Amino acid sequence: MTAGPIWAVDSSRPLPDYLIEPWSTTYRLPEETIASMMQSPDGYLWLSTANGVLRLNGLTSTPLSWSVQQPMDRTVRTTVLDGQGTMWILTSRSGVLRVPFAGRGTAMDAVPQRVTTLQTDAIVPLNIAAAQAMPDGVRVVTQAGLYELTSASQPGPPPSPVASLPSVPLAATAGTAGDIWLAGTDRRLWRWTRGTGWQNLAALPPGAPVRMLATAGRLWLRGQGWLARWEKDRWSSWALNTHFEQTNLYEPMLEDRQGVLWLGGRGQIARLVGNEVDSRRLGTIQEETSVTSLHEDREGVIWIGDQVGRLYRLRGAAVINYGQAEGMAGDIVNAIYREPNGDCWIYSLNKGLTRWSLSGIQAFPLGVAGNVWMMERDRRSGDLLLAGIPRLYRLNRGRAEPVDDPLLRSLGRVHAWWQYPDGRGVLLARTNGVFRQDSLTDFDDTRIVSRHHNVRTLAGSPEGLVWGSDGWDLIEWSPGGELIKRPPGLAEGTEVHALYWDVTSRLLWVGTATGMLTWDPASRVWGPLGLAGDSVFAIQRDPQGQLWLGTRNGLVSVDAAAWLKGRREPSARLARADGLRSLNFGMVRTRGSAPLADGRLLFGSMRGLTS
């Protein structure tokens, strides 16, 4: 998890990490095929549909005024903006329409002006129709040829083509460098450029091409169940899965700004990263419904349109999730411990231990049943110790080995501990009190510090102040002795769940079942309670000064400085729509979260680890 949502699609992340949001209901879109999309300089998204052109502004959709009565001439194949801001529209009946530039953008009350019809009584297939913006006009491809129209073009008969086609087209596309590409029935790949004309580049790969896409320096060709790329005068090819075996002329391709190729299929999208093709179902799209358009907006979000007018937004999530499906020992996280080298250990209820690092995940099924609320390395022995039920364990060769604890019967089990940073020993919270000893496993010099029973969570400062809670009171231990304080404003029976010492504000932040408040050890004053509707189980500060809270209603961030000035409100709240697999982060105690060296934070939930 980062300090703020990053919506752009990141090709390094697995497809299940992306969020797919339906937008058709938001925009109340008509049930018409979305053939293509584009974004204008003012940020609007324009949809070419089977019933004209729609403009989306983030909240509503507005249809472009349309005077064409012929139903098939309302079916728009593609839309482009030329260098002057004029919108050019190509319809399925090869009609070319023009909407003039008006101030900051295209005027919605402007009626598209028909410039010409390039061929009569013929439908232009979607996989052949291509339009390319010019500085003051548009270049258009249909079965009849290659045409150019400009702002000086007057309504009337079609102009003569600037170039005839070298072969009957199977598919065509407009390139990014003023070039036009064509796959012909002569089984050849052709490329047109001004001044050179048509060049015969190569034989087509086996199979019937269905769609083409030209990008900087490469040409993508797609058929039924296969994908090919022409680059540096050679073909490369890939097989596609069963959902792409019946590829039709509606199903598009898109190369994003990271060079990743995306494909639309029947109820599916797929991508090519390196030499690997992976795919993902679009939850509510039926398998027989084709994805018909793909578009990457300027923020890096990918928009998906389908055959029946549904619109989806594929975006990066604010979080990355890890769970049993990604190789962890289990999903329900009890405790997290970060090693000095940045690796983290995660304990999953009844399932075992996971070592998590940026290089991979390794699971250890420990064979220990129940909860483990605390993990840390003993600074003297270097052993990784786990405070479990019913006893203390050490990790030995990937297995949980019971620690010989001669005080277990008389003092009860270990719930939590705090190792003093200066090496002055450790505080152990046991069932029957809080005790001090030289190291976590040195029981010969155990000395009682407090008879407060069932202290379940501990936190400390670098200066040696330590706080604990039995769920009801806050107990502070200092060189001056023991101080017991009940957090104010809490109803009877309201529990304290989390303690976090913040070195920046010099305050102890206290998470409870009904919100969060602060304790100032210098003045011994409580701050007001905030976030009364949230049960706070884990607290961490990010590098931007935000405090992130693990609650039973998702992840919440607050601006620490604003909180202390009286604005005790969330600055962000992450839920399932932001990628969380679970909203419940309440199966943790002392070690429910951890910071990473790169500024990210880890939180444990009921469905794994959230970063």
Side-chain angles (χ1 to χ4, degrees):
M1 185 188 61
T2 58
I6 304 297
W7 304 134
V9 169
D10 179 359
S11 63
S12 67
R13 294 167 60 169
L15 269 177
D17 279 346
Y18 298 140
L19 300 179
I20 299 178
E21 302 172 311
W23 280 67
S24 307
T25 303
T26 302
Y27 286 121
R28 299 180 181 177
L29 300 179
E31 295 182 2
E32 303 285 357
T33 299
I34 301 172
S36 64
M37 291 180 268
M38 73 164 189
Q39 188 173 24
S40 53
D42 51 15
Y44 291 123
L45 193 66
W46 298 82
L47 274 57
S48 301
T49 78
N51 192 29
V53 177
L54 294 173
R55 185 186 73 178
L56 312 185
N57 66 359
L59 296 174
T60 60
S61 65
T62 305
L64 192 65
S65 299
W66 204 262
S67 62
V68 179
Q69 299 304 315
Q70 164 59 251
M72 286 305 295
D73 222 12
R74 297 178 64 85
T75 299
V76 178
R77 292 307 194 206
T78 188
T79 307
V80 298
L81 291 179
D82 69 17
Q84 303 301 315
T86 298
M87 177 183 291
W88 295 85
I89 301 168
L90 176 63
T91 74
S92 65
R93 301 286 296 191
S94 74
V96 179
L97 296 89
R98 178 174 59 203
V99 184
F101 175 77
R104 291 182 60 250
T106 301
M108 295 309 294
D109 58 354
V111 177
Q113 178 189 43
R114 175 176 293 278
V115 179
T116 191
T117 298
L118 297 176
Q119 57 189 87
T120 58
D121 301 323
I123 301 298
V124 184
L126 184 60
N127 64 333
I128 294 174
Q132 184 179 71
M134 299 193 302
D136 185 26
V138 66
R139 187 172 289 123
V140 176
V141 179
T142 73
Q143 304 98 304
L146 173 61
Y147 299 85
E148 290 182 351
L149 299 102
T150 70
S151 60
S153 300
Q154 297 299 312
S160 299
V162 297
S164 299
L165 303 186
S167 174
V168 176
L170 295 171
T173 189
T176 59
D179 48 352
I180 301 293
W181 296 75
L182 183 142
T185 54
D186 60 356
R187 304 296 305 166
R188 305 297 299 180
L189 176 66
W190 297 87
R191 179 174 181 254
W192 177 91
T193 56
R194 178 168 287 283
T196 303
W198 290 104
Q199 293 177 283
N200 185 342
L201 297 182
L204 297 179
V210 177
R211 291 298 293 259
M212 300 180 76
L213 173 70
T215 62
R218 67 184 80 177
L219 183 283
W220 296 97
L221 195 62
R222 177 179 173 185
Q224 294 190 348
W226 59 270
L227 175 69
R229 182 181 66 206
W230 174 258
E231 186 175 25
K232 297 180 180 178
D233 298 328
R234 62 183 297 269
W235 288 107
S236 303
S237 60
W238 297 264
L240 301 176
N241 69 26
T242 55
H243 293 280
F244 298 87
E245 286 181 350
Q246 301 301 317
T247 295
N248 60 46
L249 58 86
Y250 285 98
E251 295 170 0
M253 294 183 285
L254 165 73
E255 186 178 298
D256 68 22
R257 63 190 63 178
Q258 301 175 65
V260 173
L261 186 74
W262 296 82
L263 303 94
R266 297 192 178 185
Q268 300 262 333
I269 54 171
R271 66 175 182 178
L272 175 68
V273 181
N275 282 312
E276 298 296 324
V277 178
D278 58 352
S279 63
R280 176 178 172 179
R281 267 190 58 78
L282 302 179
T284 59
I285 292 185
Q286 300 299 316
E287 286 198 11
E288 65 274 12
T289 303
S290 292
V291 170
T292 52
S293 58
L294 295 168
H295 174 76
E296 182 183 26
D297 68 21
R298 63 186 61 174
E299 285 77 33
V301 173
I302 291 178
W303 294 82
I304 304 165
D306 79 358
Q307 199 169 4
V308 294
R310 286 177 294 209
L311 181 67
Y312 299 84
R313 187 170 75 163
L314 178 76
R315 62 174 174 84
V319 300
I320 302 175
N321 298 293
Y322 304 89
Q324 196 163 3
E326 286 73 35
M328 286 181 55
D331 283 332
I332 302 176
V333 174
N334 279 163
I336 304 171
Y337 165 61
R338 177 190 165 189
E339 298 267 27
N341 68 357
D343 290 357
C344 290
W345 294 92
I346 302 99
Y347 179 80
S348 301
L349 176 64
N350 295 328
K351 295 294 185 179
L353 200 59
T354 301
R355 184 164 193 159
W356 182 94
S357 69
L358 296 178
S359 60
I361 293 174
Q362 184 180 11
F364 300 88
L366 299 182
V368 174
N371 298 296
V372 169
W373 300 118
M374 180 79 187
M375 290 186 295
E376 196 172 39
R377 287 202 181 274
D378 182 357
R379 289 181 181 157
R380 178 169 293 185
S381 67
D383 292 337
L384 181 66
L385 299 184
L386 299 82
I389 298 176
R391 62 183 307 130
L392 195 65
Y393 297 89
R394 67 164 53 88
L395 184 67
N396 184 14
R397 297 182 180 179
R399 303 295 296 174
E401 176 183 276
V403 172
D404 184 16
D405 181 2
L407 305 177
L408 177 62
R409 184 179 296 273
S410 59
L411 302 183
R413 66 182 180 88
V414 175
H415 295 272
W417 60 79
W418 172 258
Q419 296 188 82
Y420 286 95
D422 57 4
R424 290 186 294 115
V426 58
L427 282 188
L428 263 72
R430 289 180 174 267
T431 302
N432 296 330
V434 178
F435 303 87
R436 186 161 182 167
Q437 52 195 53
D438 287 342
S439 72
L440 282 169
T441 56
D442 187 357
F443 303 110
D444 293 335
D445 66 339
T446 300
R447 305 174 299 279
I448 189 164
V449 172
S450 172
R451 297 196 179 276
H452 217 96
H453 287 198
N454 291 311
V455 170
R456 298 180 298 187
T457 183
L458 292 172
S461 73
E463 294 78 19
L465 287 177
V466 182
W467 299 271
S469 178
D470 58 357
W472 314 109
D473 296 324
L474 178 72
I475 309 104
E476 179 180 282
W477 294 282
S478 69
E482 179 180 81
L483 176 67
I484 301 174
K485 286 285 188 179
R486 172 66 176 165
L490 301 184
E492 188 67 27
T494 301
E495 293 192 25
V496 172
H497 295 311
L499 302 175
Y500 176 74
W501 172 252
D502 180 33
V503 296
T504 302
S505 63
R506 306 293 300 169
L507 295 172
L508 182 74
W509 296 76
V510 181
T512 78
T514 56
M516 184 173 69
L517 69 168
T518 59
W519 167 252
D520 185 345
S523 63
R524 295 192 171 181
V525 172
W526 287 101
L529 186 69
L531 301 176
D534 288 298
S535 295
V536 179
F537 287 84
I539 307 169
Q540 282 290 338
R541 179 186 279 267
D542 71 14
Q544 287 71 37
Q546 296 284 313
L547 288 176
W548 286 88
L549 320 176
T551 77
R552 281 201 170 135
N553 192 30
L555 291 171
V556 177
S557 75
V558 298
D559 186 315
W563 180 287
L564 298 177
K565 293 177 181 177
R567 297 195 299 274
R568 290 177 290 279
E569 300 175 351
S571 54
R573 186 180 290 275
L574 303 185
R576 292 190 189 278
D578 302 291
L580 297 183
R581 290 182 182 172
S582 172
L583 299 182
N584 190 346
F585 291 80
M587 281 298 289
V588 298
R589 287 186 184 170
T590 297
R591 299 285 187 178
S593 61
L596 297 179
D598 61 5
R600 290 186 296 156
L601 307 178
L602 297 182
F603 282 84
S605 78
M606 291 288 287
R607 293 194 60 192
L609 192 66
T610 295
S611 166

